[in-house]
Structure formats: C-alpha cells, structure tokens
C-alpha cells in the first residue's frame, strides 16, 4: 500500500497579500494538515511545487520575487494511483524572502505576513525550506531560521538546483555542511538534495511530505478517540 500525491489535483483556492486577511483565513482553518514551501526568492519554490503536484500548479517566474502573495491550494493523495477516501490537504506557496531588489516596504510586508503566518498556522503543516544547492545557508536563510526558532514546527530542508553542481567536489562540499546545519537548526528533521529541473531527489521529498500528512491524520484520529472516551 502506498500513498502518493495525486498528480494534478492541486486546486488553487486563493492568493492573499494582506496580513489581516491571512490571519482571518488561518483562524477559520485552525487544524489544517498540509505542507508549505518557503525559501529565498528565485530558489525554485514554484518549480518544486509544480514538479511535485503537477505542472501547472504554481507560476514559475523569470524575474525573482514574482510570488508576492501567499497562494493557497488544496490537494489529494492517491492510493496506488487511485482515488482514496482521505480528506483534502493544504498546500501553501509563500513569497520568497531575502531578495536584494525588494523594497524596504515589501520586506516589511513580508515580515508582517510571515509573523502572522507562523503564529497562527496549524502545527499540522509541514514546512519545507528550500535552499539553493550552489549557495546554501545565506544570510537571509540564517535570518529566516532565527525567525523560525521561536516557533516549534516540523520542517525539512531541501537543497534545490542540484543539477547546477557539476563536479563531485561541489556535491561533497554541500554534503559536508549537513552535520553543522542539523546541529544549528534542530527543528529540521531531514535534509534532501533535489532538482526541480531533472526531478532527481523528488521522490524522497514526496515520501517525507506524505509521511508527515499520514502521521498528522493518525494524531487527529487518536485525539478524537480520546475525546470520545472522555465524553462516554
Ligand atoms: N537549473 C535549475 N533551475 C531551476 C530549478 N528550479 C527552478 N529553477 C529556475 O529558477 C528560476 C526561479 O524558479 P521559481 O520556481 O519561479 O522560483 P521561486 O522560488 O518560486 O521564485 P519567487 O516566487 O520569485 O520567489 C526559474 O527560472 C526556474 O526555471 C532547478 O532545479 N534547476
Ligand atoms: Mg514562486
């Protein structure tokens, strides 16, 4: 039995750029289960989302910083390629952080949006932090993790654009960075090497996402049984 993301089931729900509107949405969806993608502008968030969920899910940009809104989707899992009776899950594409060309105004807006995002978001949402395999752990990535530290979250780290690392030496250097990063970022459960371009490494990322979703469903089920017991 194996559950996978059912391709092309991701359905766009809405795009939000106003923190107040987002807070309202989150307070109406307190227990959602799903996955959200966050990373530096241009790191390939939308490309990875498309590779995992089906080609036309998110908009891929030529100009960095295009995704300025929080884009919310719903998607389904399939069981051995067939429809299954699990509830729908949420997918959130977040605007990129740390782009040099964004104005002060926009970066203030990002801080506000993300501040309300992490303080209101359901713990059932897995966070996927994408970093550029060629430029890992940049200042803005560090800044993001400093910010994340105050919120307990299930998170994984995916190094994207691995296809751009041409030599074994470059790949080994990235590999060497892993222990220090996992020590520094204790909330990161696992790290992955991937490429949205060649699709390498994506099955492992998908497996991690699906495992998280099923685990969260299981937790809810146990909570519900306990609640029923209390009521009986
Ligand atoms: N070579 C290579 N290019 C990639 C990969 N993933 C994304 N790109 C390219 O990187 C650029 C940015 O990709 P997006 O997916 O739009 O990145 P994003 O993180 O969503 O960007 P913003 O929404 O603007 O923050 C595009 O030109 C993609 O084609 C990859 O794995 N390998
Ligand atoms: Mg994008």
């Amino acid at each position: 039995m194996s559950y996978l993301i059912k391709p092309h089931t991701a359905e766009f729900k809405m795009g939000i750029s106003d923190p107040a509107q987002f807070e309202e949405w989150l307070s109406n969806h307190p227990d959602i289960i799903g996955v959200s993608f966050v990373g530096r502008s241009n790191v390939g968030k939308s490309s990875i989302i498309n590779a995992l969920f089906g080609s036309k899910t998110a908009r891929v940009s030529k100009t960095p910083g295009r995704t300025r809104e929080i884009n919310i989707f719903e998607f389904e899992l399939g069981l051995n390629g067939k429809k299954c009776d699990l509830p729908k899950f949420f997918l959130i594409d977040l605007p990129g952080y740390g782009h040099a060309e964004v104005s002060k105004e926009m970066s203030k807006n990002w801080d506000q949006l993300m501040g309300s995002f992490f303080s209101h978001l359901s713990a059932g949402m897995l966070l996927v932090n994408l970093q550029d395999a060629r430029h890992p752990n940049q200042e803005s990535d560090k800044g993001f993790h400093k910010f994340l530290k105050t919120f307990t979250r299930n998170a994984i780290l995916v190094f994207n654009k691995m296809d751009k690392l041409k030599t074994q030496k470059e790949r080994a250097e990235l590999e060497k960075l892993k222990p220090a990063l996992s020590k520094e970022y204790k909330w990161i459960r696992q790290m992955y090497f991937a490429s949205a371009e060649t699709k390498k490494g994506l099955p492992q990322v998908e497996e991690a996402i699906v495992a998280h979703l099923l685990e969260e469903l299981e937790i809810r089920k146990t909570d519900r049984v306990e609640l029923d017991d209390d009521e009986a």
Side-chain angles (χ1 to χ4, degrees):
M1 253 192 13
S2 84
Y3 285 98
L4 286 174
I5 295 167
K6 197 152 192 292
H8 310 286
T9 57
E11 190 187 331
F12 178 73
K13 288 294 176 189
M14 63 166 99
I16 298 180
S17 55
D18 169 31
Q21 193 196 351
F22 193 43
E23 268 177 40
E24 194 192 324
W25 189 88
L26 288 171
S27 56
N28 290 329
H29 298 80
D31 292 322
I32 53 173
I33 299 178
V35 56
S36 47
F37 289 79
V38 67
R40 269 195 306 135
S41 184
N42 212 36
V43 70
K45 295 175 292 298
S46 301
S47 303
I48 287 271
I49 287 174
N50 286 338
L52 289 169
F53 292 87
S55 52
K56 287 188 191 123
T57 308
R59 193 185 308 156
V60 174
S61 41
K62 288 269 177 284
T63 22
R66 269 296 287 281
T67 312
R68 287 179 189 180
E69 293 189 321
I70 292 171
N71 288 315
I72 303 170
F73 306 81
E74 272 185 344
F75 69 96
E76 294 168 31
L77 292 188
L79 182 58
N80 299 327
K82 299 210 175 66
K83 211 169 160 57
C84 61
D85 56 2
L86 298 181
K88 286 192 177 179
F89 300 99
F90 283 86
L91 158 67
I92 303 183
D93 184 9
L94 294 164
Y97 56 75
H99 189 255
E101 281 166 31
V102 303
S103 63
K104 273 235 168 70
E105 178 81 21
M106 251 185 77
S107 96
K108 207 174 113 204
N109 195 15
W110 194 93
D111 288 353
Q112 266 181 1
L113 256 183
M114 290 304 110
S116 69
F117 180 72
F118 289 112
S119 38
H120 294 87
L121 185 70
S122 152
M125 292 292 288
L126 174 72
L127 187 72
V128 180
N129 179 216
L130 289 186
Q131 293 194 14
D132 191 323
R134 295 165 300 173
H135 315 286
N137 209 23
Q138 298 285 291
E139 280 312 311
S140 55
D141 294 317
K142 289 181 189 164
F144 171 69
H145 280 278
K146 211 166 133 193
F147 178 80
L148 195 62
K149 203 174 178 171
T150 49
F151 306 97
T152 29
R153 290 270 147 233
N154 276 335
I156 61 172
L157 203 165
V158 177
F159 296 102
N160 186 36
K161 307 200 184 184
M162 281 302 286
D163 58 290
K164 298 256 195 184
L165 299 189
K166 298 292 180 207
T167 64
Q168 183 54 36
K169 187 166 168 268
E170 285 175 306
R171 289 190 288 268
E173 258 164 39
L174 185 62
E175 181 70 43
K176 266 204 306 223
L177 201 69
K178 273 167 89 176
L181 285 184
S182 39
K183 208 167 149 205
E184 196 178 342
Y185 304 141
K186 295 210 165 49
W187 43 93
I188 295 288
R189 278 183 161 190
Q190 190 67 261
M191 296 182 204
Y192 300 88
F193 298 128
S195 163
E197 186 96 355
T198 65
K199 313 275 191 287
K200 234 177 156 175
L202 289 181
Q204 288 80 355
V205 175
E206 179 172 6
E207 202 176 296
I209 293 172
V210 172
H212 164 85
L213 302 174
L214 297 176
E215 212 174 277
E216 287 296 323
L217 278 181
E218 212 43 53
I219 293 170
R220 304 292 157 89
K221 234 194 316 196
T222 322
D223 286 353
R224 217 165 294 135
V225 171
E226 278 170 11
L227 213 70
D228 290 348
D229 285 350
D230 287 348
E231 282 167 1

